[in-house]
Amino acid sequence: MLHMVASAFSFSLMSLCVKQVGTRIPAAEVVLARSLLSVVLSWWLLKRAAISPWGNRRGLLVWRGCVGTGALLCVYSALASLPLASATVLQYLYPTFTGVLAWVGLREHLSKRLVAAIAIGWLGVLIVAQPATLFGGSMPLPLIPVLVGICGALLTAIAYVSVRSLANTEHPLVVVFYFPLVALPMSIPLVWLDPVLPTPVELIWLVGVGLFTQIGQVYLTRGIMALPAARATAISYVQVIFAGLWGWIVFGETINRWTITGALLVMAATLISLSSPHRPANGELKPAGDR
């Protein structure tokens, strides 16, 4: 639980940094900067722990890196184009996807209580974000960024289920290392198409993206490897609370009764997911490409 909460806090800081540079720096360039720092830090951590960086199930590790990179591009694009709260709510559609994918692909038991926790948490996220179509507003959110955000949530869920599948064979640091290792060659051609030279201040924010993402990835990987995928991602709903705080502190967004209500629902979902009895999986299904 503590690993997942620490991961959520780190990712909320990452989102804050992305939002600061996203209006001018393309998403692919943010991914590249994040990957450069993360691959160096991951290599250093692996050497310090005397762990081989190459892993055992390399095909699945590369697949996790590819899917994770796609998710990052979508999430960063959504953060740059949408309000912080709205982008966060779209990203937090992924626990619903994760629960279903873990049930289908990993044969993890999906209890009624855990389904209820996911639903309550999603409702809390929705209330915190207060989308204009449901709560009123002058203009609805633009369609393309919304679809990109939903795509990012789906790819995130696939990546998280892949991490869960790697739990029995790979060290968490190896899983974390493969993510930026794959993201680097994937993002370089995209940056080459539209390069933007960052200012010194933007460079600091980009370093923040890489640093907080690295910390969040380490805690996230440990948390997902220790918990069933659906329950782990339900706990990570607390990132929405952190996002609300950053919106208030940095961007001057007000915290109204809807935000408080949504935050309470998110906390309730976390408590329900922790108390939900878990039935061990009957077995593990490997992705078709890794059999």
Side-chain angles (χ1 to χ4, degrees), residues 40-75:
V40 172
L41 290 174
S42 297
W43 181 267
W44 175 73
L45 289 172
L46 284 165
K47 289 301 181 181
R48 183 182 180 188
I51 298 171
S52 172
W54 308 119
N56 301 301
R57 301 170 66 186
R58 296 175 185 174
L60 187 55
L61 285 165
V62 171
W63 165 252
R64 182 265 184 273
C66 291
V67 175
T69 301
L72 271 186
L73 289 170
C74 291
V75 170

Side-chain angles (χ1 to χ4, degrees), residues 1-15 34 64 91-92 94 156 160 163 176 179 209 211-225 227 232-233 235-240 242-243 246:
M1 175 182 177
L2 292 177
H3 285 161
M4 294 304 297
V5 172
S7 171
F9 181 71
S10 297
F11 284 135
S12 72
L13 291 172
M14 176 272 294
S15 298
R34 174 252 183 231
R64 182 265 184 273
Q91 173 64 6
Y92 269 84
Y94 78 81
T156 297
Y160 285 5
V163 170
V176 172
F179 193 172
V209 171
L211 180 62
F212 291 124
T213 304
Q214 176 71 13
I215 296 172
Q217 280 292 328
V218 170
Y219 282 118
L220 173 69
T221 303
R222 291 182 182 275
I224 290 181
M225 285 185 165
L227 292 171
T233 49
I235 295 171
S236 67
Y237 276 127
V238 296
Q239 182 176 340
V240 180
F242 296 138
W246 296 134

Side-chain angles (χ1 to χ4, degrees), residues 84-130:
L84 183 58
S86 299
T88 302
V89 69
L90 293 175
Q91 173 64 6
Y92 269 84
L93 291 173
Y94 78 81
T96 303
F97 295 138
T98 301
V100 174
L101 290 172
W103 173 53
V104 173
L106 301 181
R107 295 179 180 174
E108 289 187 358
H109 176 63
L110 198 63
S111 68
K112 293 181 179 179
R113 186 180 297 181
L114 191 54
V115 171
I118 292 173
I120 293 172
W122 189 88
L123 178 61
V125 171
L126 192 66
I127 291 175
V128 168
Q130 301 174 43

Side-chain angles (χ1 to χ4, degrees), residues 127-270:
I127 291 175
V128 168
Q130 301 174 43
T133 52
L134 295 180
F135 290 83
S138 57
M139 293 184 62
L141 295 177
L143 178 60
I144 297 301
V146 168
L147 294 177
V148 170
I150 293 173
C151 181
L154 177 59
L155 292 174
T156 297
I158 296 173
Y160 285 5
V161 173
S162 300
V163 170
R164 182 64 182 167
S165 181
L166 291 164
N168 295 327
T169 60
E170 310 297 339
H171 192 279
L173 289 177
V174 174
V175 179
V176 172
F177 172 66
Y178 263 82
F179 193 172
L181 187 67
V182 174
L184 272 175
M186 288 183 65
S187 59
I188 288 175
L190 298 175
V191 173
W192 185 261
L193 293 174
D194 185 24
V196 176
L197 183 64
T199 65
V201 174
E202 288 172 336
L203 188 59
I204 293 175
W205 288 117
L206 288 173
V207 171
V209 171
L211 180 62
F212 291 124
T213 304
Q214 176 71 13
I215 296 172
Q217 280 292 328
V218 170
Y219 282 118
L220 173 69
T221 303
R222 291 182 182 275
I224 290 181
M225 285 185 165
L227 292 171
R231 190 182 302 180
T233 49
I235 295 171
S236 67
Y237 276 127
V238 296
Q239 182 176 340
V240 180
I241 300 175
F242 296 138
L245 290 174
W246 296 134
W248 173 53
I249 295 172
V250 178
F251 301 107
E253 299 171 356
T254 58
I255 299 179
N256 54 30
R257 60 191 177 92
W258 291 113
T259 303
I260 296 174
T261 301
L264 290 175
L265 286 173
V266 170
M267 293 175 66
T270 300

